[in-house]
Amino acid sequence: MAQWQALGPEDMLSEGAMQRIDLDATAILLCKVRGVYYATQEHCPHLRVHLANGKLNGQVVTCPGHGSQFDVTTGACVAWVEGLPGIVRQAALAVAKPRDLTTYPTRLQDGQVWVLA
Ligand code: FES
């Protein structure tokens, strides 16, 4: 059952930064976008590469594996396996349909960042 968990102080991330955080039951990707913390699953839904090793540009994280992109504010997939070349990408699309990231609610309380996960 999901429960609120404190992650760290309110200023734990600078603007535009992201960090993998391992919780008991799951790993999350915590991002700070326009002053707001967002939490999603940390593993890419394509082949489970660590999104924390990718790049966060605005509110879009790019997977270092094969270039899929996700909006961390909603979890929505905005590009799927864009980093694969032509026919390889077509094959990847045939076997793995685009998937969104699981998102987790966050809040600030008592000077801490909290996540419901
Ligand atoms: S593992 Fe992320 S796009 Fe393939």
PDB file of all heavy atoms in Angstrom, residues 44 46-49 51 63 65-68 81, ligand 1:
ATOM      1  N   CYS A  44      12.929   3.256 -17.555  1.00  0.00           N
ATOM      2  CA  CYS A  44      12.220   3.472 -18.816  1.00  0.00           C
ATOM      3  C   CYS A  44      11.287   2.288 -19.079  1.00  0.00           C
ATOM      4  O   CYS A  44      11.697   1.133 -18.926  1.00  0.00           O
ATOM      5  CB  CYS A  44      13.243   3.597 -19.950  1.00  0.00           C
ATOM      6  SG  CYS A  44      12.477   3.817 -21.579  1.00  0.00           S
ATOM      7  N   HIS A  46      10.457   1.114 -21.800  1.00  0.00           N
ATOM      8  CA  HIS A  46      10.870   0.349 -22.983  1.00  0.00           C
ATOM      9  C   HIS A  46      11.712  -0.851 -22.542  1.00  0.00           C
ATOM     10  O   HIS A  46      11.225  -1.971 -22.541  1.00  0.00           O
ATOM     11  CB  HIS A  46      11.634   1.252 -23.963  1.00  0.00           C
ATOM     12  CG  HIS A  46      12.118   0.526 -25.177  1.00  0.00           C
ATOM     13  ND1 HIS A  46      13.392   0.652 -25.663  1.00  0.00           N
ATOM     14  CD2 HIS A  46      11.491  -0.353 -25.995  1.00  0.00           C
ATOM     15  CE1 HIS A  46      13.520  -0.123 -26.732  1.00  0.00           C
ATOM     16  NE2 HIS A  46      12.387  -0.730 -26.954  1.00  0.00           N
ATOM     17  N   LEU A  47      12.942  -0.622 -22.120  1.00  0.00           N
ATOM     18  CA  LEU A  47      13.811  -1.726 -21.703  1.00  0.00           C
ATOM     19  C   LEU A  47      14.482  -1.452 -20.354  1.00  0.00           C
ATOM     20  O   LEU A  47      15.581  -1.941 -20.089  1.00  0.00           O
ATOM     21  CB  LEU A  47      14.871  -2.015 -22.774  1.00  0.00           C
ATOM     22  CG  LEU A  47      14.324  -2.581 -24.094  1.00  0.00           C
ATOM     23  CD1 LEU A  47      15.448  -2.759 -25.101  1.00  0.00           C
ATOM     24  CD2 LEU A  47      13.599  -3.895 -23.878  1.00  0.00           C
ATOM     25  N   ARG A  48      13.819  -0.649 -19.538  1.00  0.00           N
ATOM     26  CA  ARG A  48      14.207  -0.438 -18.132  1.00  0.00           C
ATOM     27  C   ARG A  48      15.565   0.231 -17.931  1.00  0.00           C
ATOM     28  O   ARG A  48      16.198   0.071 -16.892  1.00  0.00           O
ATOM     29  CB  ARG A  48      14.132  -1.755 -17.338  1.00  0.00           C
ATOM     30  CG  ARG A  48      12.736  -2.347 -17.300  1.00  0.00           C
ATOM     31  CD  ARG A  48      12.613  -3.551 -16.402  1.00  0.00           C
ATOM     32  NE  ARG A  48      13.141  -3.377 -15.064  1.00  0.00           N
ATOM     33  CZ  ARG A  48      12.510  -2.769 -14.063  1.00  0.00           C
ATOM     34  NH1 ARG A  48      11.327  -2.234 -14.268  1.00  0.00           N
ATOM     35  NH2 ARG A  48      13.072  -2.681 -12.875  1.00  0.00           N
ATOM     36  N   VAL A  49      16.029   0.968 -18.909  1.00  0.00           N
ATOM     37  CA  VAL A  49      17.245   1.767 -18.709  1.00  0.00           C
ATOM     38  C   VAL A  49      16.934   2.855 -17.674  1.00  0.00           C
ATOM     39  O   VAL A  49      15.797   3.326 -17.566  1.00  0.00           O
ATOM     40  CB  VAL A  49      17.698   2.379 -20.054  1.00  0.00           C
ATOM     41  CG1 VAL A  49      18.742   3.457 -19.860  1.00  0.00           C
ATOM     42  CG2 VAL A  49      18.232   1.263 -20.963  1.00  0.00           C
ATOM     43  N   LEU A  51      16.392   6.221 -16.296  1.00  0.00           N
ATOM     44  CA  LEU A  51      16.117   7.552 -16.818  1.00  0.00           C
ATOM     45  C   LEU A  51      16.964   8.619 -16.134  1.00  0.00           C
ATOM     46  O   LEU A  51      17.248   9.665 -16.718  1.00  0.00           O
ATOM     47  CB  LEU A  51      14.631   7.883 -16.658  1.00  0.00           C
ATOM     48  CG  LEU A  51      13.687   7.057 -17.533  1.00  0.00           C
ATOM     49  CD1 LEU A  51      12.238   7.332 -17.150  1.00  0.00           C
ATOM     50  CD2 LEU A  51      13.913   7.344 -19.009  1.00  0.00           C
ATOM     51  N   CYS A  63      15.387   9.321 -22.498  1.00  0.00           N
ATOM     52  CA  CYS A  63      16.038   8.081 -22.065  1.00  0.00           C
ATOM     53  C   CYS A  63      17.376   7.926 -22.786  1.00  0.00           C
ATOM     54  O   CYS A  63      17.443   8.069 -24.014  1.00  0.00           O
ATOM     55  CB  CYS A  63      15.130   6.894 -22.375  1.00  0.00           C
ATOM     56  SG  CYS A  63      15.896   5.305 -21.977  1.00  0.00           S
ATOM     57  N   GLY A  65      18.812   5.229 -23.310  1.00  0.00           N
ATOM     58  CA  GLY A  65      18.847   3.955 -24.025  1.00  0.00           C
ATOM     59  C   GLY A  65      18.588   4.125 -25.519  1.00  0.00           C
ATOM     60  O   GLY A  65      19.483   3.960 -26.341  1.00  0.00           O
ATOM     61  N   HIS A  66      17.361   4.499 -25.854  1.00  0.00           N
ATOM     62  CA  HIS A  66      16.969   4.567 -27.268  1.00  0.00           C
ATOM     63  C   HIS A  66      16.170   5.818 -27.583  1.00  0.00           C
ATOM     64  O   HIS A  66      15.423   5.847 -28.563  1.00  0.00           O
ATOM     65  CB  HIS A  66      16.180   3.312 -27.647  1.00  0.00           C
ATOM     66  CG  HIS A  66      16.873   2.057 -27.201  1.00  0.00           C
ATOM     67  ND1 HIS A  66      16.459   1.340 -26.101  1.00  0.00           N
ATOM     68  CD2 HIS A  66      17.991   1.455 -27.660  1.00  0.00           C
ATOM     69  CE1 HIS A  66      17.287   0.316 -25.913  1.00  0.00           C
ATOM     70  NE2 HIS A  66      18.228   0.366 -26.835  1.00  0.00           N
ATOM     71  N   GLY A  67      16.311   6.834 -26.740  1.00  0.00           N
ATOM     72  CA  GLY A  67      15.772   8.153 -27.066  1.00  0.00           C
ATOM     73  C   GLY A  67      14.302   8.386 -26.815  1.00  0.00           C
ATOM     74  O   GLY A  67      13.773   9.413 -27.238  1.00  0.00           O
ATOM     75  N   SER A  68      13.608   7.487 -26.134  1.00  0.00           N
ATOM     76  CA  SER A  68      12.217   7.788 -25.797  1.00  0.00           C
ATOM     77  C   SER A  68      12.178   9.008 -24.887  1.00  0.00           C
ATOM     78  O   SER A  68      13.110   9.254 -24.113  1.00  0.00           O
ATOM     79  CB  SER A  68      11.553   6.600 -25.099  1.00  0.00           C
ATOM     80  OG  SER A  68      11.391   5.533 -26.003  1.00  0.00           O
ATOM     81  N   VAL A  81      11.227   5.507 -28.730  1.00  0.00           N
ATOM     82  CA  VAL A  81      12.418   4.920 -29.363  1.00  0.00           C
ATOM     83  C   VAL A  81      12.931   5.750 -30.536  1.00  0.00           C
ATOM     84  O   VAL A  81      13.342   5.207 -31.564  1.00  0.00           O
ATOM     85  CB  VAL A  81      12.196   3.428 -29.749  1.00  0.00           C
ATOM     86  CG1 VAL A  81      12.000   2.592 -28.492  1.00  0.00           C
ATOM     87  CG2 VAL A  81      11.051   3.230 -30.716  1.00  0.00           C
TER      88      VAL A  81
HETATM   89  S1  FES B   1      15.284   1.761 -22.784  1.00  0.00           S
HETATM   90 FE1  FES B   1      14.475   3.756 -22.875  1.00  0.00          FE
HETATM   91  S2  FES B   1      14.093   4.047 -24.966  1.00  0.00           S
HETATM   92 FE2  FES B   1      14.851   2.011 -24.879  1.00  0.00          FE
END
